[in-house]
Amino acid sequence: MISYRTKGIILKKRDLKGADRFLTIYTDRFGKIQMLAKGAKRTTAKLAGHLEDFTLTDLVFIKGKNFNTITSSVSLNRFSYLRNNLERIACAYYIAELIDKLISEVQTDERIFKLILKLFDRLNHPRGKLNLIVRYFELNLADLLGYRPEFERCLNCKNVIKPNKNYFSSKLGGLLCQNCKNQDLKAFEVKPDTIKILRILSEKDIDFVERLVTNSKIDSEVERVTSNFLEFILDEPIRLDSFLENLGCKIKNYRFQ
């Protein structure tokens, strides 16, 4: 059998009968793939500790008829600060679920791998602004997958958006001016300051984004735009509560700060 080597970020794991585990990994060479890790639950196994959730690993695997099997793995970055912070772990679970739902296994894009790695690097930094980091990731992942929202011009009349009353339409994928808001009766108003932040999140790099100063009202509006847009794409909500329950806690209406 031919062996393949790749770098990958462990997104999810599922225990099987016995000591085996099934992993969802996003790799730089093969995109999102499912892999079997035989004996990974045994503490004495050579793979133990190298295939934990949210670990960057250098792995070797073989392709089988029904699934891929990992033969070796070496951790490159365990993102230790992230692991010791409940709020950051919650972010990581949310992002992992978003990637799993939005990306099929046939898609391979090194830009997505770099974006995911950039996200985990930021989550692992004590001063990282979690709300901005997550919103940045949501919009940039959507862009890479071909779902870039329009924040510059009205989707209907094509006029440049002015700092008046404007509305966001998830169905149409962007902003509508006041004259065109009836094109989508579910479109909701978005304030000019929020539109400015949405444009920056879509266009600037993460270093610039993390220097932004926002307030709770803007944060809430930005989150409403991104969450509504992603839920429309997926045709289902992504709930954070279930991820936090897995960590032994439950927080209602939780927002990253």
Side-chain angles (χ1 to χ4, degrees):
M1 288 187 175
I2 300 175
S3 295
Y4 299 86
R5 186 171 186 173
T6 186
K7 291 179 182 177
I9 300 172
I10 314 299
L11 299 176
K12 297 174 73 174
K13 65 181 181 222
R14 177 166 57 90
D15 289 345
L16 304 176
K17 290 182 179 180
D20 299 343
R21 276 187 177 143
F22 209 60
L23 306 171
T24 301
I25 307 173
Y26 199 92
T27 68
D28 60 347
R29 293 182 58 201
F30 305 97
K32 190 184 83 173
I33 53 178
Q34 308 288 332
M35 293 194 186
L36 177 66
K38 293 184 176 179
K41 286 192 288 183
R42 297 193 191 98
T43 56
T44 57
K46 64 179 181 179
L47 295 177
H50 295 283
L51 295 173
E52 294 301 316
D53 285 345
F54 319 132
T55 298
L56 173 65
T57 182
D58 186 351
L59 55 88
V60 178
F61 69 97
I62 55 175
K63 291 184 178 181
K65 186 175 181 180
N66 298 315
F67 46 76
N68 307 302
T69 301
I70 298 172
T71 57
S72 70
S73 178
V74 177
S75 298
L76 300 176
N77 193 335
R78 297 177 187 270
F79 302 107
S80 57
Y81 183 80
L82 182 162
R83 293 176 175 282
N84 292 318
N85 185 292
L86 178 62
E87 193 173 33
R88 291 167 191 273
I89 292 174
C91 287
Y93 272 108
Y94 167 76
I95 291 300
E97 189 71 7
L98 189 63
I99 294 166
D100 197 33
K101 288 181 177 293
L102 278 174
I103 301 175
S104 68
E105 289 188 48
V106 297
Q107 290 175 288
T108 301
D109 191 333
E110 190 176 1
R111 296 173 301 168
I112 294 177
F113 176 81
K114 289 179 179 179
L115 178 64
I116 298 170
L117 185 57
K118 184 187 298 185
L119 169 87
F120 278 95
D121 281 336
R122 296 294 168 152
L123 290 180
N124 199 48
H125 196 284
R127 295 181 181 178
K129 296 181 179 179
L130 299 189
N131 187 60
L132 291 173
I133 291 170
V134 172
R135 304 287 88 84
Y136 170 87
F137 180 83
E138 289 172 332
L139 289 173
N140 282 271
L141 179 62
D143 185 13
L144 291 175
L145 294 174
Y147 300 108
R148 183 182 179 88
E150 175 58 65
F151 297 126
E152 298 293 338
R153 293 179 179 272
C154 173
L155 287 166
N156 186 54
C157 67
K158 308 303 180 185
N159 288 331
V160 173
I161 291 294
K162 297 179 181 179
N164 302 318
K165 279 193 173 183
N166 297 288
Y167 300 80
F168 184 80
S169 166
S170 295
K171 180 176 72 173
L172 299 177
L175 295 174
L176 295 169
C177 67
Q178 187 170 11
N179 293 332
C180 299
K181 65 179 181 179
N182 290 335
Q183 293 296 315
D184 180 6
L185 297 179
K186 292 185 178 180
F188 52 87
E189 185 179 352
V190 183
K191 297 292 192 297
D193 286 345
T194 300
I195 293 173
K196 290 179 184 178
I197 298 299
L198 288 165
R199 288 171 177 167
I200 291 172
L201 289 169
S202 299
E203 298 168 3
K204 300 295 185 180
D205 63 34
I206 190 64
D207 291 322
F208 188 95
V209 165
E210 286 207 278
R211 293 197 294 270
L212 293 174
V213 177
T214 61
N215 56 46
S216 59
K217 188 173 182 179
I218 292 176
D219 289 343
S220 180
E221 278 200 354
V222 170
E223 181 183 7
R224 186 184 182 192
V225 168
T226 60
S227 63
N228 273 266
F229 184 57
L230 291 171
E231 287 180 9
F232 181 82
I233 294 171
L234 292 168
D235 197 27
E236 64 175 299
I238 295 182
R239 307 248 181 234
L240 186 59
D241 287 348
S242 60
F243 308 136
L244 293 171
E245 281 181 356
N246 290 337
L247 299 173
C249 65
K250 188 170 181 68
I251 302 174
K252 289 291 187 182
N253 300 320
Y254 189 82
R255 283 193 171 89
F256 303 121
Q257 302 299 318

